[in-house]
Amino acid sequence: MAGFVNYIKESFGELKNNVSWPTWSEAQSLTVLVAVFSIIFSLAIWGVDSVFSKVITFYFDLIK
């Protein structure tokens, strides 16, 4: 148990002293970038899924 507590203390110290955190404006702009990319990527996957679904449906209707 002492090893786990020591690990937590060292991890906290590492995050506090050695990590360079972004500024508030950088964090906001990166958050917007991730949100926009996620929306675009999800729409692309939806489009491919819709086309693939129509192709599979057409194929199974064809072999009936």
Side-chain angles (χ1 to χ4, degrees):
M1 186 66 174
F4 179 72
V5 171
N6 190 35
Y7 172 76
I8 297 296
K9 284 181 183 178
E10 288 178 2
S11 297
F12 183 74
E14 184 81 20
L15 288 172
K16 185 177 177 184
N17 299 320
N18 297 336
V19 174
S20 59
W21 296 98
T23 63
W24 182 248
S25 62
E26 285 177 328
Q28 286 178 327
S29 65
L30 290 173
T31 301
V32 169
L33 181 69
V34 168
V36 168
F37 180 77
S38 297
I39 291 169
I40 291 170
F41 192 67
S42 66
L43 289 173
I45 290 174
W46 172 75
V48 170
D49 184 53
S50 296
V51 169
F52 189 67
S53 175
K54 290 183 190 301
V55 168
I56 295 296
T57 302
F58 175 75
Y59 174 74
F60 281 116
D61 287 344
L62 190 66
I63 65 171
K64 245 188 217 184

